[in-house]
Amino acid sequence: MRRLSYPLLPALVAVSVSVLLGQTPDAAQVISSAREALGGEKKLSAVRTFTATGRTRQIRGNNLVPIEFEINCELPDKFVRKDEIPAQDTDPTTRGFSGETLIQVPPPGAGRAGARPGGPPPGGPLPGGGRGPGGPVTPIAAVKQDFARLMLGMFAASFPSVPLTFKYVAVGEAPEGRADILEVAGPANFSMRFVVQRETHLPVMLIWSSSAPGQPAPAEQRMYFADYREVDGLKLPFRIRRAVGADTVEETTFDRIRINAKIDPRKFEIPK
């Protein structure tokens, strides 16, 4: 059986805020500090588009499947990811949204044979929708939740396409040091916890619950952000790892991230 090998998941123990600090910290200040660490409000606010290429290694049964991907995003409400598996004779798959319209190739209902083997982009539910702790998630809501997770980890921000609210809930204690933990809420019963390391102020983890095929109940999922590098004055994560429970299920590495590059409008065309 092929595996993605990592040490045990870092222990993260939530400790009462009042015990450690005597008062509740401000969630807005945590977000502001994170954005400063990622490059500063002026530079982040100037981001209009970003593109990325790389690969995802994903566990599928006893196999470790390499997936080549391309991401195109035009903020605030256009996003697509195209996946291709070089080792398999299958057509590429595309999943994203433009405004309130789903972009999915093959379209929903086309069958698993044409869908991306192994599931969605990192952290997302199955193509065609999924199930969160609040119940079923529609296909458009599911892909927007994928987008929201990626944006929060990369830019410490939410956008009008998926508006989020933040509440400070606890201080996290781990061998690597303390972290601020925010409760995040959004549309369609969307909820997760956002973990920001105190020393660096960089996003390090998202935690949420959702169901997967064969699971009788929602399982804890974690999405880790690491390998921060400078891109046009911004500090962006080049490695994203996702775990379900104690098991790492996929790792995504970016080869290249481009900021404010011109994107062909045809990338966001709705399939006929």
Side-chain angles (χ1 to χ4, degrees):
M1 177 177 179
R2 304 292 298 279
R3 292 184 179 273
L4 292 170
S5 299
Y6 292 94
L8 293 176
L9 297 179
L12 185 69
V13 180
V15 182
S16 170
V17 175
S18 59
V19 170
L20 289 177
L21 304 175
Q23 60 182 359
T24 302
D26 184 11
Q29 182 57 50
V30 174
I31 294 294
S32 177
S33 296
R35 285 177 65 79
E36 186 63 30
L38 291 170
E41 189 63 40
K42 183 178 180 180
K43 290 180 180 179
L44 287 173
S45 296
V47 176
R48 296 291 178 263
T49 71
F50 81 88
T51 64
T53 56
R55 64 194 51 83
T56 294
R57 296 186 303 156
Q58 187 178 78
I59 295 292
R60 294 188 60 214
N62 293 329
N63 298 316
L64 184 60
V65 179
I67 303 168
E68 303 288 335
F69 70 83
E70 174 186 287
I71 290 175
N72 288 279
C73 178
E74 186 176 298
L75 298 171
D77 61 355
K78 294 180 180 180
F79 175 86
V80 292
R81 169 170 166 152
K82 181 179 180 181
D83 288 340
E84 186 170 4
I85 302 177
Q88 296 184 7
D89 186 20
T90 56
D91 292 332
T93 63
T94 299
R95 193 161 177 259
F97 64 95
S98 179
E100 294 301 315
T101 304
L102 177 70
I103 300 173
Q104 187 165 316
V105 180
R112 294 296 292 167
R116 166 184 163 183
L126 288 175
R131 186 175 184 85
V137 179
T138 64
I140 185 67
V143 75
K144 284 192 173 188
Q145 289 178 6
D146 291 340
F147 164 81
R149 293 186 187 102
L150 182 62
M151 294 300 99
L152 194 53
M154 293 188 69
F155 302 118
S158 69
F159 295 90
S161 50
V162 192
L164 303 175
T165 59
F166 302 91
K167 178 183 177 182
Y168 198 104
V169 291
V171 173
E173 294 277 15
E176 295 79 8
R178 290 182 176 177
D180 294 304
I181 305 176
L182 305 185
E183 189 74 47
V184 184
N189 297 313
F190 187 44
S191 65
M192 58 185 170
R193 290 199 167 189
F194 182 40
V195 182
V196 179
Q197 191 175 47
R198 279 197 161 186
E199 182 179 353
T200 63
H201 300 292
L202 293 173
V204 292
M205 190 192 316
L206 293 171
I207 307 171
W208 72 99
S209 295
S210 68
S211 296
Q215 289 180 348
E220 181 181 271
Q221 304 205 29
R222 295 190 176 195
M223 190 171 177
Y224 296 86
F225 300 90
D227 190 17
Y228 281 87
R229 305 180 194 177
E230 185 171 326
V231 179
D232 294 338
L234 301 178
K235 201 168 187 178
L236 301 178
F238 271 66
R239 186 171 72 250
I240 300 174
R241 178 165 62 95
R242 186 165 69 88
V244 177
D247 299 322
T248 293
V249 295
E250 65 180 27
E251 180 187 65
T252 292
T253 55
F254 294 105
D255 292 332
R256 185 182 187 186
I257 300 175
R258 299 176 64 196
I259 300 297
N260 290 336
K262 184 176 177 57
I263 299 177
D264 187 338
R266 290 176 295 182
K267 297 284 187 181
F268 306 109
E269 287 183 349
I270 311 302
K272 302 297 185 181

